[in-house]
Amino acid sequence: MAAGMYWAARVSSIAMQMAVPPALGFWADRRWGTAPWLVIVGACLGFTVAMLEIFKLASPPRRDSE
C-alpha cells in the first residue's frame, strides 16, 4: 500500500508540473493581453521540468562513496 501511495504521489507531482505553468501562463495572458506567448512559455517550462523529473525517476539510484 505504501509503495502504491509513493508512486501515485510521484505521478501526480509530474502531472502538476506539466499543468500548472501553462495554466499560470493562460491566466497572465488574459490579464496582460499577451496571448499566446505566456502559455507557450509556461508549457515549455512545465514540459522541461517534468522531463527532468522523469529522467531523475528513471535513473538508477546513486550510491555515495564513503
Side-chain angles (χ1 to χ4, degrees):
M1 182 74 164
M5 294 300 287
Y6 170 77
W7 284 104
R10 295 295 296 254
V11 169
S12 62
S13 172
I14 291 170
M16 292 301 287
Q17 289 171 352
M18 292 184 84
V20 170
L24 290 174
F26 179 75
W27 174 79
D29 275 340
R30 291 199 51 172
R31 182 168 171 91
W32 296 319
T34 58
W37 298 110
L38 295 178
V39 172
I40 293 170
V41 169
C44 291
L45 178 66
F47 180 78
T48 302
V49 170
M51 286 298 111
L52 290 172
E53 186 71 23
I54 289 171
F55 289 144
K56 188 169 68 171
L57 183 64
S59 67
R62 293 184 348 177
R63 287 193 206 172
D64 293 332
S65 60
E66 296 176 5

